[in-house]
Amino acid sequence: MPASQFWNLSKEKQEQIIQASLSEFAEYGFDLASTNRIVERADISKGVLFKYFSDKEALFIYVCDVCMGDYFESIPRVSADSLFDFIRRTTLHKMQFIHHHPLTYQLLVRVLKEPKHPVYAKVVASQFSLVQQFADDLKKVLHQVQLRPGLTWEHVMNFITWVGFGLQEKYMASIPDVVDERLEHSFQPMIDELNVYLDILRFGMYKGASES
């Protein structure tokens, strides 16, 4: 987290530093990013930057946390007819968010494509609280949906989480590093397979199972 001096800055100056850092990290990744370029873009001195953040790693993790927080906060918390409707809406929203925030996408794809990188691994670990908060919000949105006896929301969320991580691992290498004309086409196989697993959750896996 930033030092207290950072929070004493105006919102505009905070955003200037965040955007300068995001541009640098998205373009160069953590290892090749230059704090000299960041402070030049942010119009501050390096000494001032390191009053706000203990080191480049702390700055990187904070910027990633801001990006992920912005994404989760942008997801509409509106009532849905079913869990499946909500997930499909969220998938569409994710594509819209990516197109409007190309640098955020570029940075987070860097992180996800190198999960064994020591700093990127810390970023991924720091996101679990956001994922949990999103899951809690999802349960509130879908509180009216009745589950069959013996099934809890924890079971459902675990299934969705594991499928999501599995698909991410399977398709990450084929996803472009930047937002371009290939993006939607490259995401489509992952979306199609996600829909298959959602149908398994909804209808079961045996022939003759009927929609509930």
Side-chain angles (χ1 to χ4, degrees), residues 8 12 29 50 85 102 108 118 139 144 150 159 164 186-187 197 202:
N8 293 330
E12 291 77 12
F50 288 121
D85 178 48
L108 296 179
K139 284 185 283 187
Q144 75 277 14
F159 178 88
S186 67
F187 267 90
Y197 292 123
R202 186 177 187 182

Side-chain angles (χ1 to χ4, degrees), residues 6 13-50 52-53 55-64 107:
F6 181 78
K13 194 61 181 180
Q14 291 179 24
E15 186 64 19
Q16 185 177 355
I17 294 170
I18 291 169
Q19 288 302 314
S21 304
L22 173 58
S23 296
E24 180 70 14
F25 289 134
E27 183 173 356
Y28 295 100
F30 175 79
D31 294 329
L32 298 181
S34 165
T35 53
N36 289 329
R37 288 191 293 260
I38 289 174
V39 298
E40 184 177 353
R41 288 173 171 176
D43 194 25
I44 58 175
S45 70
K46 186 178 286 190
V48 167
L49 178 67
F50 288 121
Y52 302 148
F53 299 91
D55 52 27
K56 186 170 79 168
E57 179 180 312
L59 175 61
F60 182 84
I61 292 174
Y62 175 70
V63 170
C64 290
L107 174 59

Side-chain angles (χ1 to χ4, degrees), residues 63-75 97 127 130:
V63 170
C64 290
D65 285 349
V66 169
C67 289
M68 288 299 296
D70 287 346
Y71 168 66
F72 279 111
E73 282 298 315
S74 73
I75 298 173
F97 181 89
Q127 302 311 314
L130 285 173

